[in-house]
Amino acid sequence: MVNEFVSTSKKILVYDDDPEILLLCKAILANYKFKAETLPKCDNILEDITTIEPDLILMDLWIPEIGGEEAVRRLKNDKSGKEIPVLLFSANPDIAEICAKVKADGYIEKPFSIRFFIDKINSVI
């Protein structure tokens, strides 16, 4: 069942190194009519946004290699990516401070309810 918060064609890029989280996010987003692309690494975020052209990025913080914090910093410092909204999502207890530090557009604490997840996405997108 689709509720009143239905998107028609917004594309969301989800970064998380946990394949189960990626599957879960993709299923939830599809249920609400978002187009979801998922990636387990964020090392090539600037190339990824050129290829995928997301309307929003969901970024986990604890990703191997450069990590979500550094990826968002690179994105927000690049003219082609700085306007793309980013929501951090993590179980990191310092997520609010990290969000402010990297100039993300908000955050979702894990674990999250589906309602909160979709409401937060809709408030940013």
Side-chain angles (χ1 to χ4, degrees):
M1 183 175 141
V2 177
N3 73 10
E4 67 275 11
F5 299 106
V6 176
S7 168
T8 54
S9 62
K10 297 292 184 178
K11 191 182 298 180
I12 299 175
L13 175 55
V14 182
Y15 287 102
D16 199 300
D17 63 322
D18 184 334
E20 292 177 359
I21 295 288
L22 292 177
L23 285 172
L24 178 65
C25 288
K26 194 164 195 157
I28 293 168
L29 293 168
N31 189 54
Y32 287 86
K33 307 299 183 204
F34 289 102
K35 295 176 184 174
E37 296 286 337
T38 60
L39 293 170
K41 291 187 175 187
C42 54
D43 300 15
N44 299 313
I45 191 167
L46 298 178
E47 293 171 25
D48 296 341
I49 63 162
T50 300
T51 304
I52 296 170
E53 299 179 341
D55 295 295
L56 172 71
I57 295 172
L58 293 176
M59 177 66 72
D60 183 35
L61 290 175
W62 292 324
I63 299 179
E65 308 298 327
I66 68 166
E69 187 175 339
E70 178 59 26
V72 173
R73 188 176 287 111
R74 289 180 187 183
L75 181 74
K76 293 299 187 177
N77 286 325
D78 184 83
K79 68 178 182 168
S80 65
K82 68 181 176 182
E83 298 303 318
I84 299 170
V86 176
L87 289 175
L88 301 178
F89 74 127
S90 177
N92 187 318
D94 299 322
I95 192 170
E97 293 81 16
I98 295 168
C99 179
K101 182 168 71 171
V102 299
K103 299 180 179 132
D105 300 277
Y107 62 91
I108 298 169
E109 293 179 77
K110 292 179 186 175
F112 52 82
S113 72
I114 293 173
R115 169 62 97 182
F116 179 81
F117 183 71
I118 294 299
D119 286 349
K120 189 68 172 185
I121 288 170
N122 278 312
S123 74
V124 174
I125 210 166

